[in-house]
Amino acid sequence: MALSINQRQNTTRHAICGKEKREEMKYLFLIFFMNLLPQYAGKSLRRDDSYPRTFEDIKKEIAGYTDIAEAIIDLAVHGKAQNRSYDRLAVFTDTIGPRLSGSKNLDAAIKYMFSALQEDGLENVHLEPVKVPHWERGEEFAVMLEPRNHSIAILGLGSSVATPPEGITAEVIVVASFDELHKRAQEAKGKIVVYNEPFISYGKTVQYRSQGAVEAAKVGAVASLIRSIAPFSIHSPHTGWQNYQPDVPRIPTACISVEDVEMMSRMSSRGTKIVVHLKMGAKTYPDSPSFNTVAEIVGSKYPEQIAMEGKK
């Protein structure tokens, strides 16, 4: 098995205990193998290429690994490896901290993982040169000026442009969807669009983070603030990457906490005027040199076959 690791900003998750953790690991095991299936559709998986394997053949082969999977799960949940993954992740994130693409922390993370993989005895541990985007968040803050003074928890979204040096002060329009934004396009011109999109699932709701600035800019907004893409919050913004379009003006964009968005939504529903001052010092630099970190676990039965797992 070959492992390709190119780290990005991440946070330590809480450990999942007992039955829940066991079930999650089962799902992860199945997902890993199911992801291999499409690439073998209509192809032979036998070493001697004697006959084409059907989907049912592959499912039966996967089922044959049940005992091995159970042994791995038992080792991780109840055995000597209990909590080891969580503890090692905690050390990694505590030691390195946020590791944005192109940052010094990313360089430190790569060196850390390179050494850790060697110490763990994996084979063919090496670094592959690669260019990565280099964006820095810079100094940023947001404050509500009307109807009262309130500091807003904020994190700029990846690749966002900066505000002018003096910042942006504008009235807010709160919308719950792109459809609502388009229906209220005339109202949105010259304002800061605040998205209060309901969380359905990460895969469905993340479109507001990736496309929110573009859709807001299309209707003439001066900035966009996105409700964090998460089911709950502790006044903690949840950031990530977003995308611009070549033919659409680039406006500053950031995520804010669920609590702040819901507060502004309540105010807006009462007809209260909301004014926010936003300042962001984000910068995009030329792509920076970096590395993919690669290691191998050579199989005992079919050492010539390769299964690849990648992590950004």
Side-chain angles (χ1 to χ4, degrees), residues 173 180-191 219-220:
I173 178 173
E180 182 182 356
L181 174 65
H182 298 152
K183 290 176 182 177
R184 302 175 63 188
Q186 292 301 316
E187 295 179 60
K189 188 174 182 179
K191 294 181 180 178
V219 297

Side-chain angles (χ1 to χ4, degrees), residues 31-68:
I31 289 170
F32 170 73
F33 280 101
M34 292 300 288
N35 283 336
L36 297 179
L37 299 184
Q39 62 182 296
Y40 293 115
K43 299 179 182 178
S44 170
L45 293 184
R46 292 188 62 83
R47 299 176 71 193
D48 57 8
D49 208 31
S50 59
Y51 70 94
R53 302 289 300 279
T54 66
F55 184 78
E56 289 299 321
D57 291 332
I58 298 170
K59 286 203 299 185
K60 289 178 181 178
E61 180 177 345
I62 291 173
Y65 289 99
T66 298
D67 291 342
I68 296 173

